[in-house]
Amino acid sequence: MDHFDYKDGILHAEDVAVDEIARAVGTPFYAYSAATFRRHFQLFQEALAGMDHLICYAMKANGNLAILKLMGDMGAGIDVVSGGEYLKARAAGVPGERIVFSGVGKTRAEMALALEGGIRQFNVESEPELLALNEVACGLGKVAPVTVRINPDVDARTHAKIATGKSENKFGIPIAKARLVYAEAAALPGIEVVGIDVHIGSQLTDLDPFRAAFDKVAHLTGLLRQDGHDIRRLDLGGGLGIPYERSNMAPPLPLDYGEVIRQTVGHLGCEIEIEPGRLIVGNAGIMVASVIYLKHGEGRNFLILDAAMNDLIRPAMYDAHHDIVPVRQVAPGTEMSAVDIVGPVCETGDTFARQRNMPPLGDGDLVAFRSAGAYGAVMASEYNMRPLIPEVLVDGDQFAVIRPRPSFDEMINRDRVPEWL
Ligand SMILES: *Cc1c(COP(=O)(O)O)cnc(C)c1O
């Protein structure tokens, strides 16, 4: 559920009319609903109720400072994947003891940053990383709390670019090697083993792969405890999918996901961490664009928008579907026709939808891309010298720009021309 509905014939974000935001900030832009963020966080809280747990929001899905503050104020932890994300989470007021550090390529500088600033745990993904972390920690006179990310070799049954839990993926340590790596970790003076980490992929629409992975984690917990490790924390990653196509998909609910966690690892007496990103923010955001032209091509028509693949890359990168709706509600009985919905960038990949049934739209009409809150703004670029589009947060009847559109001057002046040129 989200908070983007038609009222009086106009799409609203909570109580604010989307066309009003468009007049205030110009198009294209992202708009987020604070109520939806809060609701999704609460759904996970309810799903894990009764278990000692921490929900570590995966900020790579949407890392705006205002959203991090909103999440942090509700008590969320944060899952970061870079030194920059770590610093931004801290800047939003989230304490180090609620930040977990994931990622396959942490540098020594990033490790030092987190160790000095305070960190809940590193999710270590390889033996070389373990050794490097030990060295950095010893050098600083610290001990790094660590889980090892294991690769359970389960098929997440999601898009190949976001599946991470098969043995051929670059992520984690093969589960068969886990006991060896934990023994190695336990012998290092700068490392303290605190638990196990797993994350099998993103946009999972089926609970079975989670169950398979968590069963393996439970089994491994037993083995590692026999080996003398104090496994007290299980980080189960993120990955729960959202319905991008309202019409035909009902992914599992957080409550059912919580039940799978309870059944598989609930008896182990471990603190449970999860790292949801997409489910918290995905349906809490829309991208709004204006129609520039309706172009009549040979055999097909093109709806050309002022938003492009640089603003929302998911269709080009993951073949992703986004529902695209007119901001002005169409009257019942309006005739629809199939159009290709495209941006102005000079790439065929700059296509948001092919042969999508849309009502008649023309110059200046507004459309909204639903489910654009996750992996939208964060993956945007300024390709074609197109400014990063603004982000707006709506809360009830108020809204604020939480990242302004840069001016062309700002963009141009980021470059430097050497004196000798
Ligand atoms: C991307 C990622 C997440 C978040 O995944 P979602 O599908 O957005 O929930 C969590 N943990 C790790 C390690 C990730 O790489």
Side-chain angles (χ1 to χ4, degrees):
M1 203 200 87
D2 59 47
H3 288 79
F4 299 98
D5 294 303
Y6 290 104
K7 289 176 202 167
D8 306 323
I10 295 287
L11 187 68
H12 278 60
E14 302 191 19
D15 298 327
V16 179
V18 167
D19 60 350
E20 185 191 332
I21 306 174
R23 278 193 296 277
V25 306
T27 58
F29 63 90
Y30 282 102
Y32 308 126
S33 152
T36 313
F37 293 138
R38 293 193 187 103
R39 183 185 138 79
H40 289 160
F41 180 74
Q42 287 309 329
L43 287 178
F44 278 115
Q45 289 284 46
E46 285 160 27
L48 300 184
M51 285 185 274
D52 188 11
H53 70 270
L54 182 68
I55 299 165
C56 296
Y57 166 59
M59 68 173 279
K60 76 173 197 271
N62 189 325
N64 189 287
L65 201 61
I67 293 167
L68 297 178
K69 174 163 193 315
L70 186 152
M71 299 300 303
D73 286 354
M74 284 191 294
I78 303 286
D79 172 42
V80 305
V81 293
S82 70
E85 282 198 348
Y86 174 84
L87 291 175
K88 201 168 184 186
R90 294 302 308 271
V94 180
E97 59 266 29
R98 278 200 262 138
I99 301 178
V100 300
F101 201 148
S102 299
V104 322
K106 302 173 198 80
T107 65
R108 286 163 192 258
E110 289 175 318
M111 291 168 178
L113 195 77
L115 279 169
E116 283 176 321
I119 187 85
R120 181 179 181 83
Q121 88 213 18
F122 292 90
N123 296 331
V124 168
E125 299 222 14
S126 67
E127 290 169 277
E129 183 192 337
L130 195 59
L131 297 176
L133 182 57
N134 176 57
E135 274 177 31
V136 175
C138 288
L140 294 170
K142 306 225 179 230
V143 176
V146 156
T147 73
V148 176
R149 177 169 176 180
I150 56 128
N151 185 323
D153 194 24
V154 302
D155 185 353
R157 291 184 227 149
T158 183
H159 191 279
K161 283 186 186 161
I162 46 176
T164 59
K166 283 289 286 173
S167 55
E168 67 260 31
N169 302 131
K170 69 180 175 183
F171 302 96
I173 282 168
I175 193 159
K177 257 184 95 176
R179 291 175 85 171
L180 234 104
V181 175
Y182 273 87
E184 219 179 301
L188 297 170
I191 300 289
E192 184 195 8
V193 168
V194 298
I196 306 174
D197 172 47
V198 71
H199 170 76
I200 56 175
S202 199
Q203 185 55 16
L204 271 72
T205 53
D206 179 354
L207 289 174
D208 290 344
F210 285 120
R211 186 182 296 279
F214 301 166
D215 272 338
K216 290 189 178 191
V217 168
H219 180 67
L220 181 62
T221 303
L223 294 178
L224 293 177
R225 283 178 170 171
Q226 278 172 31
D227 291 348
H229 303 290
D230 180 14
I231 303 300
R232 53 187 183 273
R233 200 179 275 172
L234 300 178
D235 184 333
L236 302 176
L240 201 54
I242 62 168
Y244 280 100
E245 234 165 318
R246 289 200 156 194
S247 43
N248 69 5
M249 196 179 90
L253 301 172
L255 215 55
D256 297 327
Y257 168 77
E259 200 45 43
V260 169
I261 292 177
R262 215 177 297 276
Q263 287 166 6
T264 51
V265 300
H267 59 289
L268 296 170
C270 286
E271 182 180 10
I272 303 299
E273 294 166 348
I274 57 170
E275 304 168 344
R278 189 189 307 267
L279 197 135
I280 290 188
V281 292
N283 285 335
I286 56 174
M287 182 181 74
V288 179
S290 298
V291 173
I292 309 178
Y293 300 115
L294 175 65
K295 173 175 165 177
H296 298 280
E298 212 158 297
R300 68 173 60 199
N301 292 334
F302 297 93
L303 199 61
I304 303 174
L305 306 181
D306 62 357
M309 63 188 288
N310 67 296
D311 305 310
L312 177 66
I313 205 171
R314 299 191 66 261
M317 186 139 151
Y318 308 114
D319 313 302
H321 172 101
H322 284 271
D323 283 350
I324 303 170
V325 299
V327 166
R328 186 171 299 280
Q329 194 169 21
V330 292
T334 304
E335 204 174 316
M336 307 288 241
S337 62
V339 290
D340 282 12
I341 303 176
V342 304
V345 166
C346 183
E347 296 219 18
T348 306
D350 189 21
T351 299
F352 290 121
R354 291 196 167 79
Q355 295 301 287
R356 187 73 65 85
N357 267 332
M358 297 295 286
L361 290 167
D363 185 9
D365 287 336
L366 298 174
V367 295
F369 289 66
R370 289 191 182 272
S371 313
Y375 307 104
V378 281
M379 294 182 97
S381 76
E382 292 181 333
Y383 187 41
N384 280 208
M385 188 65 191
R386 295 168 48 84
L388 286 182
I389 68 178
E391 294 176 273
V392 173
L393 183 65
V394 176
D395 193 0
D397 60 2
Q398 57 187 344
F399 71 93
V401 173
I402 56 173
R403 190 173 64 196
R405 195 189 312 273
S407 70
F408 287 123
D409 274 350
E410 275 170 57
M411 290 170 67
I412 292 166
N413 291 323
R414 263 184 233 141
D415 292 358
R416 294 286 179 273
V417 178
E419 257 169 48
W420 40 259
L421 201 65

